[in-house]
Amino acid sequence: MKKFLFFDVDGTLYNHDKIIPDSTLEALDIAQKNGHEIAIATGRAPFMIKNVLKDLNIQTYVSFNGQYVVYNNEVIFTDYVSKNTLKELIEFGSSRNEPVVFLDDAQMVATKGEHEDVAISLATLKYPYPSIDETYYLNKPVYQSLIFTDEEGEKEYRKHFPNVQIIRWHPVCCDILPKDGSKARGIQKIQQFANVPLEDIYVFGDGLNDVEMLSYVPNSIAMGNGHPKAKEAARYVTDHVNENGIYNALKMLELI
């Protein structure tokens, strides 16, 4: 029977070098040939996963941690951070010399140029410094934003912005989402739209932004290289992404 397999990208499909291991490619190919649907659940924007979608022949994905959901190449759900909240974020960050980055489905735009934390964190995604436009959010829907601060600074943002969700993915960078945003909600939207039973869904992740979906879906698998909270939330823990983690998990689950 067909299953839907949702994979996080960074640390799950991609290793540290942002390469999909050969064993993972082999496992996904076999799974597709076995009739299962491969889907993505990522914090990345759609324009940042184009190559993954093309190379793996994927038409269904949850991006921006659940704010932009696509099923069979059709956008079925979007959510965004309000313009008022973004205005306040910019003002608060500016007072701390901390820029904001906006993301929509087409591009990434920063409020300030030449900020070291922006360059450092985006370099880990193999992504260049964004273009600059402090007012970009006024004319475009912003599905997700980035703030650039350490863990102490994050506490201040949490005090000032209780109406958003803040998820750290780098020592100097956090995602800003709508309060109800999560990969779990994105997967729920696909469930409802396509009438997919929860027991036919499997999710694979490694990070803090995967905790909700790993908790929500009973068939959940955390990577061996994953964050302790991701492992705690998952039903199973597989091997490291570089040690055939995906292949071994799909084998264990008898999906390949």
Side-chain angles (χ1 to χ4, degrees):
M1 183 177 292
K2 177 180 179 178
K3 307 297 183 184
F4 282 73
L5 317 180
F6 286 86
F7 295 89
D8 169 57
V9 175
D10 298 282
T12 301
L13 291 182
Y14 279 167
N15 60 20
H16 181 72
D17 296 319
K18 306 306 177 188
I19 294 170
I20 301 178
D22 288 342
S23 66
T24 298
L25 291 172
E26 180 185 357
L28 298 182
D29 181 58
I30 297 171
Q32 286 176 317
K33 288 176 179 175
N34 285 347
H36 304 307
E37 178 151 352
I38 306 301
I40 297 294
T42 182
R44 286 178 176 245
F47 64 87
M48 300 174 73
I49 58 171
K50 283 184 177 178
N51 289 340
V52 175
L53 299 175
K54 180 181 177 182
D55 293 346
L56 300 180
N57 190 28
I58 292 173
Q59 290 82 40
T60 296
Y61 58 89
V62 173
S63 60
F64 292 127
N65 292 308
Q67 307 339 296
Y68 193 92
V69 181
V70 172
Y71 177 74
N72 279 348
N73 294 320
E74 176 186 352
V75 179
I76 63 167
F77 175 78
T78 61
D79 194 8
Y80 53 88
V81 182
S82 75
K83 287 178 171 52
N84 285 340
T85 298
L86 291 173
K87 182 176 183 290
E88 293 169 7
L89 269 174
I90 293 167
E91 292 171 350
F92 185 75
S94 181
S95 71
R96 301 166 53 87
N97 191 32
E98 294 169 348
V100 175
V101 164
F102 315 119
L103 295 105
D104 63 16
D105 58 306
Q107 63 180 316
M108 181 186 296
V109 179
T111 56
K112 303 291 182 185
E114 299 181 0
H115 193 283
E116 184 180 21
D117 289 350
V118 177
I120 288 172
S121 56
L122 294 184
T124 66
L125 300 177
K126 307 291 187 184
Y127 202 82
Y129 206 99
S131 57
I132 313 301
D133 182 354
E134 189 167 333
T135 63
Y136 186 80
Y137 74 99
L138 293 174
N139 301 308
K140 296 283 185 177
V142 173
Y143 301 112
Q144 184 168 286
S145 298
L146 307 178
I147 56 171
F148 300 85
T149 190
D150 59 17
E151 291 189 2
E152 283 303 309
E154 180 186 339
K155 294 176 184 177
E156 295 302 313
Y157 279 91
R158 289 186 181 278
K159 287 180 189 175
H160 283 79
F161 298 95
N163 60 325
V164 300
Q165 187 175 173
I166 301 175
I167 302 176
R168 180 166 296 279
W169 61 270
H170 186 278
V172 297
C173 188
C174 297
D175 293 329
I176 299 290
L177 312 177
K179 190 66 175 178
D180 297 329
S182 71
K183 293 182 183 182
R185 184 174 68 162
I187 289 171
Q188 285 176 334
K189 297 299 179 182
I190 291 174
Q191 268 186 272
Q192 294 162 5
F193 186 86
N195 195 27
V196 180
L198 186 60
E199 60 266 24
D200 288 341
I201 294 176
Y202 291 72
V203 294
F204 302 75
D206 72 294
L208 290 173
N209 62 338
D210 296 315
V211 169
E212 289 92 347
M213 76 170 183
L214 292 169
S215 301
Y216 170 66
V217 179
N219 296 313
S220 57
I221 302 91
M223 304 301 292
N225 49 283
H227 191 282
K229 289 185 178 179
K231 294 179 179 179
E232 184 180 336
R235 182 176 181 181
Y236 305 105
V237 177
T238 188
D239 299 305
H240 192 286
V241 63
N242 282 333
E243 297 171 356
N244 306 325
I246 294 298
Y247 185 97
N248 292 342
L250 293 181
K251 196 80 173 173
M252 179 270 293
L253 294 165
E254 299 183 346
L255 296 169
I256 63 173

